[in-house]
């Protein structure tokens, strides 16, 4: 077994062999599946939430022909989804105040936050996991049902994959790796974050980064990437190089929830992890 195959195996991903001439067909099938999941998700909004719908569905959902089951539209008070819009952090008194908070005060700020409507539906806020000593920061999208219940990011199925991905590059959540999300509250029904929600949460993430001063940031999925890099290009167009957020190296990749459903992109995610590993090694070499 090759080294890559062994690592993919350890990640629980297995090796994915796809004939080039079948790739388009498989991607189309994935897109249809994603559309179907979104449909199912909307139609069952009141029942236990299914796995979080990743932001990076491979293609705009194709219309799915179905029997006349009623589609329940999950209300999104934050209106426009984050798709092609730049997130604008409002430089108001709140943003200024947050910029001066220390770690403990920031935790309290998050716990008591009522800046957007998500405060009404959340069970609790999810600040992040890890310590101030962490030199790697992982940024995901938003808490899902399990995270909302437990108050810790990435504890569901996507979280298991994230843990495996970190383990594959010799890292572990906790002391050296701080994990957080763009949003600190769960969007109801696991819908995508809205522009205003991201804008309200952005000063909190910015302050977390200022206080943590990580050596490397791993941006997982398009919401994290878009928020940090202020770039709305697709993940596929941004991956493969090291970006920068306020002089901190940023490695980007697909969201684990997306990878769970999109086999062809798992090999690319492995290459992103190798890039992350290199970025971590060179950042650590520079500080020691
Ligand atoms: N997906 C995320 O982006 N974050 C979590 O905490 C859980 C799932």
């Amino acid at each position: 077994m090759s080294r890559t195959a062994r690592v993919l195996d350890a990640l629980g991903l297995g090796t994915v062999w796809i004939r080039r001439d079948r790739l388009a067909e498989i991607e189309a099938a994935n897109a249809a599946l994603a559309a179907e999941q979104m449909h199912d998700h909307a139609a069952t909004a009141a029942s236990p939430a299914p796995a979080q719908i990743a932001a990076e569905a491979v293609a705009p959902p194709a219309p799915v022909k179905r029997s006349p089951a009623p589609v329940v539209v999950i209300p999104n008070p934050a209106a426009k989804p984050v798709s092609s819009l730049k997130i604008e952090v409002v430089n108001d008194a709140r943003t200024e105040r947050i910029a001066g908070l220390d770690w403990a005060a920031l935790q309290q700020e998050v716990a008591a936050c009522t800046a957007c409507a998500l405060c009404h539906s959340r069970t609790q806020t999810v600040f992040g996991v890890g310590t101030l000593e962490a030199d790697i920061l992982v940024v995901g999208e938003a808490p899902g049902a399990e995270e909302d219940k437990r108050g810790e990011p990435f504890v569901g199925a996507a979280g298991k994959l994230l843990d495996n991905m970190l383990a594959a590059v010799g890292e572990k959540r906790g002391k050296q790796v701080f994990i957080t999300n763009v949003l600190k509250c769960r969007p109801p029904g696991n819908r995508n974050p809205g522009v205003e929600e991201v804008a309200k949460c952005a000063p909190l993430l910015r302050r977390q980064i200022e206080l943590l001063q990580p050596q490397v940031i791993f941006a997982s999925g398009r919401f994290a990437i878009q928020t940090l890099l202020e770039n709305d290009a697709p993940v596929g167009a941004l991956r493969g190089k090291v970006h920068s957020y306020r002089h901190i190296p940023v490695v980007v990749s697909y969201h684990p929830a997306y990878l769970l459903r999109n086999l062809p992109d798992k090999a690319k995610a492995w290459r992103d992890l190798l890039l992350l590993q290199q970025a971590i090694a060179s950042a650590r070499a520079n500080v020691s």
Side-chain angles (χ1 to χ4, degrees), residues 10-65:
L11 286 173
L13 304 177
T15 313
V16 182
W17 298 106
I18 291 173
R19 277 174 38 195
R20 248 180 242 284
D21 58 351
R22 291 210 52 221
L23 198 57
E25 184 191 323
I26 289 166
E27 279 177 351
N30 271 333
L33 182 67
E36 197 165 319
Q37 283 179 344
M38 280 184 210
H39 181 283
D40 289 347
H41 191 210
T44 56
S47 60
Q52 184 159 0
I53 293 169
E56 311 86 337
V58 279
V64 178
K65 282 203 186 122

Side-chain angles (χ1 to χ4, degrees), residues 82-140:
V82 183
S83 57
S84 58
L85 294 171
K86 287 263 163 69
I87 293 126
E88 280 172 33
V89 180
V90 190
N91 281 319
D92 57 7
R94 173 178 173 267
T95 301
E96 254 175 56
R97 190 172 49 73
I98 290 170
L101 298 178
D102 66 16
W103 193 248
L106 186 62
Q107 283 175 313
Q108 280 168 21
E109 178 78 23
V110 169
C113 185
T114 56
C116 78
L118 294 184
C119 66
H120 302 303
S121 51
R122 73 181 179 220
T123 305
Q124 59 189 312
T125 56
V126 181
F127 182 80
V129 63
T131 70
L132 260 176
E133 288 164 53
D135 58 356
I136 303 162
L137 172 66
V138 176
V139 182

Side-chain angles (χ1 to χ4, degrees), residues 56 127-129 136-142 153-154 162 166 177-184 198 201-202 204-206 208-209 212 214 216-229 245 248-256 276:
E56 311 86 337
F127 182 80
V129 63
I136 303 162
L137 172 66
V138 176
V139 182
E141 178 181 319
F154 282 103
L162 177 64
L166 290 172
V177 181
F178 193 91
I179 304 176
T180 191
N181 286 306
V182 171
L183 293 192
K184 312 302 183 207
V198 174
C201 258
L204 301 166
L205 177 63
R206 186 194 287 177
Q208 280 182 311
I209 298 173
L212 276 164
V216 177
I217 298 175
F218 184 53
S220 180
R222 84 174 157 97
F223 288 92
I225 296 168
Q226 207 163 326
T227 306
L228 291 169
L229 303 184
Y245 171 86
I248 302 169
V250 179
V251 176
V252 310
S253 191
Y254 299 102
H255 191 284
L276 175 66

